[in-house]
Amino acid sequence: MIGQEIFQTQEEKERIERLEKYIVKVDESLGKIAEELKEYGQVSYMSEQDIQRELSTLPDLIADANLLLSKIQRAYDYAKDDSKRQIAKLWGQCTKRKDILGLNNQKEQEAWVVQNEEYMRVVRIEIEWKYQVQRAKSIVDRYENKFASARKLANLIEKDQTNNYRRESYGGQL
C-alpha cells in the first residue's frame, strides 16, 4: 500500500490535471486582459461573450474542485485515524515489552515508538495526504480568485458601455 497510488485514485489524478490545465489557460487570458487594461484602458482581447463564458464555466469548476477537495479531505481524515490507531498499537507493544526491549523510562519508550518503521510509514502517508489537501485547497482558491477577477472585468466592461452610451446620448460631451 505504500506509494503514490494510495494517495489518489486515477480519476482524482486526472481531475486535478484537468483543473490545473484550465487554471493555466484562464490565468493567461486574464493576465492579458489585465495588461491591456493597464496599457490602453480598454479590453480588446476578450469579448463580452468570452468573459460571460468564463463566468458561466468557473462556478462549475469551483464546485468540481470543492468536491475533489472534500474527497481528499476525507482520505486525509482516514489517514490521521490510521496513524492514531497505529501509534496506540505501538505504545501497547512498547508497554508490554518494555522490560524485554530494555526501555527504562518514558523518553526511551517514546523514542522506540517514533523510530519504529511502521510509525514512520503511517506518518509519511498522513503527511502526503495533508499535502494533497493543501494542493486541492489552492486549486479551489485559484478558481475562486479567477471567478472574482472575471466578475470584476465584466463590471468594468459594463461601466464602460454605460459611459459610452451616455456619451453618445449627449452628443459626445461628458
Side-chain angles (χ1 to χ4, degrees):
M1 250 182 103
I2 299 177
Q4 192 65 16
E5 300 81 44
I6 64 169
F7 302 121
Q8 297 175 347
T9 65
Q10 187 62 30
E11 179 185 340
E12 289 169 341
K13 285 180 189 178
E14 290 170 0
R15 186 178 281 167
I16 286 175
E17 288 171 9
R18 276 195 320 271
L19 292 173
E20 288 175 345
K21 285 178 186 175
Y22 194 77
I23 284 173
V24 169
K25 179 182 165 192
V26 171
D27 217 7
E28 289 172 357
S29 63
L30 290 176
K32 288 178 184 177
I33 291 170
E35 285 300 315
E36 286 184 3
L37 282 172
K38 270 196 260 180
E39 283 185 40
Y40 308 113
Q42 59 182 341
V43 178
S44 63
Y45 178 73
M46 284 183 86
S47 67
E48 280 184 67
Q49 293 81 14
D50 293 335
I51 292 174
Q52 289 300 325
R53 187 176 57 245
E54 295 295 322
L55 289 173
S56 65
T57 57
L58 283 170
D60 291 336
L61 292 169
I62 291 169
D64 195 30
N66 273 314
L67 178 63
L68 180 62
L69 172 61
S70 65
K71 288 180 179 180
I72 292 172
Q73 181 67 51
R74 179 183 61 195
Y76 173 53
D77 292 341
Y78 286 144
K80 286 194 304 187
D81 187 54
D82 290 345
S83 292
K84 287 178 187 174
R85 276 190 269 129
Q86 187 61 39
I87 291 168
K89 182 179 169 183
L90 289 170
W91 272 105
Q93 290 174 4
C94 179
T95 304
K96 288 179 187 175
R97 299 189 289 163
K98 66 182 177 185
D99 294 333
I100 298 169
L101 296 170
L103 306 172
N104 299 324
N105 59 37
Q106 182 75 20
K107 285 193 178 230
E108 289 177 353
Q109 292 173 8
E110 186 177 331
W112 182 85
V113 169
V114 297
Q115 290 177 358
N116 188 290
E117 194 64 37
E118 191 60 26
Y119 172 83
M120 288 187 274
R121 184 185 72 78
V122 296
V123 168
R124 283 187 191 120
I125 290 171
E126 184 178 335
I127 289 169
E128 181 61 27
W129 276 113
K130 184 176 181 179
Y131 164 74
Q132 295 297 338
V133 166
Q134 292 303 317
R135 188 169 178 238
K137 282 181 181 178
S138 71
I139 290 171
V140 169
D141 289 345
R142 289 287 302 272
Y143 274 122
E144 289 174 345
N145 291 339
K146 297 300 176 193
F147 182 71
S149 296
R151 268 196 348 241
K152 287 177 183 179
L153 287 171
N155 288 339
L156 287 173
I157 290 170
E158 186 177 331
K159 284 181 183 179
D160 189 46
Q161 287 175 344
T162 303
N163 289 336
N164 286 338
Y165 175 73
R166 284 182 187 156
R167 207 171 303 138
E168 289 172 5
S169 297
Y170 292 104
Q173 297 177 2
L174 254 188

